[in-house]
């Protein structure tokens, strides 16, 4: 009688449900009422429901998991990349092929309009160098062109684009960026490093309708990968971008739940607008303050003392921080700043985060573990950039890259993100890379750091919710949780690890609604 009174709206039957809940890890049926899970159990027990009132989905023996949760991505940049000229390593292999691809787009683009291309990798190009403005001039002399590096930390502009933004030989270096130059003349060669934020106000942005269409497309692709929640970690996130996110959530352009990380310098404007950490609604939440720490230019920016002040300032305002840290020096400084903030916190645990946490030799690893930080890793980098790591990383550092297994063994909360568009937003590819530690060419990166399949799935579902302090609503399949789920054609726990990347999502449920199915 009690079960019949539930009157579910949606009933999933005939499936292998991996709940990610240790208390009850496997069930066969899930009942949904509105946007919440109200019951889980066996198929035999599910037969007691008044199924005539519910839409019943026979999953045909497929595997159901909590919806995949991308703990670190860049939605607008990813959406833009889907409309840009594709210059990724799998598409082009030389600068001449980059030129050809851009030239084809130029032939169908009105003269004078901007052309954007994305995804090139100097390491993977035959010439093993960045294209220059001269290469892009040859491809599109009548259009301003912006070509983005796959890392998101470099881009190339052609001469028309440099003229359009007023960048000349006399332009001073911006504080956090580098203007690369021809050695002979000192003129800018078009390659710009760490200057994306500087360019944001200079290069025309897409119109509202163009952006909305791009996000709608991106959201559909994410849903097809089983992704039901994203965390946008863009350092330049502002009130204007928050309003754009809110508008796209309201009109249904964006299906995924979204946690929006304000850039650290914009936290004050969010507070003045009455938007504090954890607030929001309708599937959009204010997240951690995003902080960038780099050591790539030979010195730590910001320095350790300034970083500690930033973290404490955010903490005192009630903001979790999510700190970009790649190099060992940056990771160590970040761990120290988080440890200091957590010491001040007392009983308040904001779950401060280290994003990427790429290089962790033993001493830095010990600091990270002791800091109490949550670590958000990008296993897709192992697959997509593993060959570059092997070729360009100091041999002594190679064993200490993206140490997922060691962090988990040490009791650290680990969450996975894609960093899209830097890597593909494909959770199953990320699980494959975390479990096998293999590059796209089959080379092993980081011997001994392979996670178990179960841990990799948990890091893609349950712990991203923990990292965002949303674990009471998301990340496991249990009564009372939000009804976000993905149906897979095979069980990742039962296939050979080499086959995990080939598992296909068959359907995606967000908020109790089927938003995509194969």
């Amino acid at each position: 009688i009690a079960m019949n009174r539930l009157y579910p709206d949606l009933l999933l039957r005939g499936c292998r449900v991996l709940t990610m809940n240790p208390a009850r890890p496997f069930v066969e049926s899930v009942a949904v009422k509105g946007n919440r899970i109200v019951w889980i159990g066996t198929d035999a027990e599910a037969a007691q429901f008044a199924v005539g009132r519910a839409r019943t989905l026979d999953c045909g023996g497929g595997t159901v998991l909590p919806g995949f949760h991308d703990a670190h991505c860049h939605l607008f940049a990813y959406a833009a990349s889907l409309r840009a000229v594709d210059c990724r390593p799998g598409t082009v292999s030389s600068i001449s092929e980059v030129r050809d691809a851009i030239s084809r787009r130029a032939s169908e683009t009105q003269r004078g309009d901007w052309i954007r291309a994305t995804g090139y990798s100097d390491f993977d190009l035959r010439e093993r160098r960045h294209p220059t403005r001269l290469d892009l001039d040859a491809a599109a002399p009548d259009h301003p062109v912006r070509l983005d590096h796959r890392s998101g930390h470099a881009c190339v502009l052609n001469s028309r684009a440099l003229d359009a933004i007023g960048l000349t030989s006399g332009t001073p270096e911006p504080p956090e960026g580098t203007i690369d130059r021809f050695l002979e003349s000192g003129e800018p060669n078009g390659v710009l490093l760490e200057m994306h934020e500087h360019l944001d106000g200079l290069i025309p942005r897409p119109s509202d309708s163009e952006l909305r269409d791009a996000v709608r497309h991106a959201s559909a692709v994410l849903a097809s990968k089983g992704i039901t929640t994203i965390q946008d970690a863009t350092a330049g996130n502002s009130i204007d971008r928050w309003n754009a996110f809110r508008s796209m959530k309201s009109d249904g352009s964006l299906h995924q739940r979204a946690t929006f990380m304000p850039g650290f310098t914009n936290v004050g404007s969010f507070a003045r607008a009455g938007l504090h950490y954890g607030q929001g609604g309708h599937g959009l939440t204010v997240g951690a303050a995003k902080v960038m720490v780099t050591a790539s230019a030979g010195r730590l920016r910001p320095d350790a003392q300034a970083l500690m002040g930033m973290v404490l300032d955010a903490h005192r305002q009630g903001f979790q921080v999510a700190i970009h840290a790649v190099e060992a020096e940056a990771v160590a400084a970040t761990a120290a700043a988080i440890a200091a903030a957590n010491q001040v916190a007392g009983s308040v645990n904001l779950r401060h985060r280290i994003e990427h946490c790429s290089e962790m030799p033993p001493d830095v690893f010990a600091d990270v573990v002791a800091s109490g930080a949550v670590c958000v890793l990008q296993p897709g980098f192992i697959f997509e950039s593993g060959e570059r790591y092997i070729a360009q990383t100091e041999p002594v550092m190679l064993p200490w890259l993206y140490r997922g297994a060691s962090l988990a063994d040490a009791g650290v909360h680990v969450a996975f993100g894609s960093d899209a568009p830097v890597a593909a937003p494909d959770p199953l590819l990320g699980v494959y890379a975390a479990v096998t530690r293999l590059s796209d060419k089959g080379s092993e990166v980081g011997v001994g750091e392979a996670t178990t399949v179960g841990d990799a799935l948990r890091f893609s579902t349950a712990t991203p919710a923990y990292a965002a302090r949303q674990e009471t609503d998301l990340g496991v399949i249990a009564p009372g949780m939000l009804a976000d789920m993905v149906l897979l054609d095979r069980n990742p726990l039962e296939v050979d690890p080499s086959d995990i990347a080939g598992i296909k999502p068959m359907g995606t449920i967000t908020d109790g609604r089927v938003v995509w199915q194969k």
Side-chain angles (χ1 to χ4, degrees):
I1 295 174
M3 291 176 68
N4 281 325
R5 286 176 180 169
L6 290 175
Y7 295 134
D9 300 316
L10 178 67
L11 184 64
L12 277 64
R13 299 185 65 181
C15 43
R16 174 76 160 168
V17 183
L18 310 183
T19 67
M20 296 297 120
N21 180 2
R24 193 175 185 186
F26 307 111
V27 295
E28 297 173 318
S29 296
V30 181
V32 176
K33 178 76 171 177
N35 69 343
R36 296 274 176 179
I37 296 166
V38 292
W39 174 88
I40 60 175
T42 67
D43 283 345
E45 292 168 334
Q48 301 177 60
F49 282 107
V51 293
R53 295 174 177 267
R55 178 186 178 188
T56 301
L57 295 181
D58 186 340
C59 298
T63 297
V64 173
L65 277 77
F68 289 125
H69 187 151
D70 192 324
H72 183 120
C73 68
H74 306 276
L75 177 65
F76 286 178
Y78 174 63
S81 76
L82 296 177
R83 301 295 181 93
V85 180
D86 185 358
C87 293
R88 291 174 297 173
T91 306
V92 302
S93 59
S94 67
I95 289 175
S96 64
E97 291 182 6
V98 170
R99 286 199 303 263
D100 290 345
I102 292 173
S103 182
R104 286 192 293 271
R105 179 64 63 90
S107 69
E108 57 193 39
T109 302
Q110 184 173 329
R111 181 175 178 173
D113 285 354
W114 279 80
I115 294 173
R116 182 175 178 187
T118 189
Y120 87 93
S121 166
D122 53 310
F123 174 80
D124 292 287
L125 293 174
R126 186 175 300 125
E127 297 84 354
R128 290 293 179 98
R129 67 171 176 85
H130 295 275
T132 69
R133 77 185 203 191
L134 301 181
D135 297 310
L136 303 189
D137 288 348
D142 299 321
H143 300 78
V145 178
R146 172 177 176 169
L147 169 62
D148 285 324
H149 194 273
R150 72 183 300 181
S151 68
H153 294 282
C155 67
V156 189
L157 303 185
N158 71 347
S159 296
R160 287 288 295 265
L162 291 170
D163 290 343
I165 68 171
L167 198 155
T168 69
S169 58
T171 301
E173 305 274 326
E176 303 297 328
T178 301
I179 300 170
D180 208 12
R181 302 174 188 273
F182 292 117
L183 291 177
E184 302 82 3
S185 65
E187 291 283 328
N189 66 11
V191 179
L192 307 177
L193 307 176
E194 304 291 357
M195 287 183 59
H196 278 55
E197 286 188 55
H198 178 78
L199 296 175
D200 277 350
L202 300 174
I203 294 178
R205 296 178 180 177
S207 67
D208 181 70
S209 62
E210 290 171 335
L211 180 60
R212 199 172 298 272
D213 286 346
V215 167
R216 190 175 294 116
H217 180 199
S219 182
V221 175
L222 295 173
S224 76
K225 301 297 184 182
I227 297 172
T228 58
T229 305
I230 62 172
Q231 298 181 40
D232 191 285
T234 305
N237 274 344
S238 63
I239 287 287
D240 287 344
R241 282 189 180 174
W242 164 268
N243 289 333
F245 263 72
R246 185 166 57 183
S247 175
M248 291 176 196
K249 283 297 298 177
S250 296
D251 72 7
S253 299
L254 178 61
H255 292 304
Q256 286 71 29
R257 302 181 194 280
T259 296
F260 183 94
M261 300 184 194
F264 177 80
T265 57
N266 293 319
V267 166
S269 62
F270 273 74
R272 288 189 292 275
L275 293 166
H276 301 281
Y277 175 73
Q279 293 186 335
H282 306 291
L284 179 63
T285 305
V286 178
K290 178 65 182 296
V291 179
M292 295 290 293
V293 181
T294 64
S296 55
R299 64 185 179 88
L300 195 65
R301 296 189 297 189
D303 64 38
Q305 185 174 359
L307 174 61
M308 196 163 291
M310 293 165 71
V311 175
L312 286 171
D313 182 45
H315 184 96
R316 287 170 179 142
Q317 295 184 66
F319 265 87
Q320 180 190 55
V321 293
I323 305 176
H324 166 108
V326 171
E327 307 87 357
E329 182 184 358
V331 176
T334 296
I338 288 175
N342 285 336
Q343 192 170 26
V344 169
S347 61
V348 179
N349 183 2
L350 290 174
R351 300 179 190 170
H352 297 308
R353 303 162 44 151
I354 306 177
E355 311 294 305
H356 310 306
C357 217
S358 308
E359 298 179 352
M360 284 189 292
D363 56 335
V364 176
F365 178 86
D367 291 342
V368 169
V369 173
S371 74
V374 175
C375 293
V376 181
L377 311 184
Q378 290 69 40
F381 289 0
I382 296 293
F383 180 81
E384 296 195 10
S385 297
E387 297 299 317
R388 179 171 61 84
Y389 295 153
I390 292 169
Q392 297 182 347
T393 303
E394 290 289 335
V396 70
M397 191 63 73
L398 264 177
W400 315 128
L401 297 181
Y402 300 106
R403 302 181 62 183
S406 292
L407 287 168
D409 290 345
V412 174
H413 290 280
V414 176
F416 285 166
S418 67
D419 204 18
V422 178
D426 186 338
L428 288 165
L429 180 62
V431 170
Y432 165 83
V435 170
T436 66
R437 301 290 295 195
L438 296 179
S439 75
D440 59 349
K441 300 291 193 299
S443 302
E444 189 172 18
V445 181
V447 177
E449 289 298 339
T451 65
T452 67
V453 177
D455 275 351
L457 293 172
R458 186 165 54 87
F459 299 162
S460 305
T461 54
T463 48
Y466 177 88
R469 301 181 74 190
Q470 296 170 348
E471 74 275 13
T472 56
D473 285 317
L474 296 171
V476 301
I477 295 175
M481 305 298 282
L482 288 165
D484 292 2
M485 293 172 279
V486 57
L487 170 65
L488 306 178
D489 66 350
R490 286 173 289 166
N491 186 341
L493 295 177
E494 295 177 351
V495 303
D496 188 275
S498 64
D499 292 333
I500 290 174
I503 294 174
K504 302 297 183 186
M506 303 300 290
T508 303
I509 296 170
T510 301
D511 231 22
R513 296 179 297 108
V514 178
V515 297
W516 177 86
Q517 57 189 125
K518 189 174 177 63

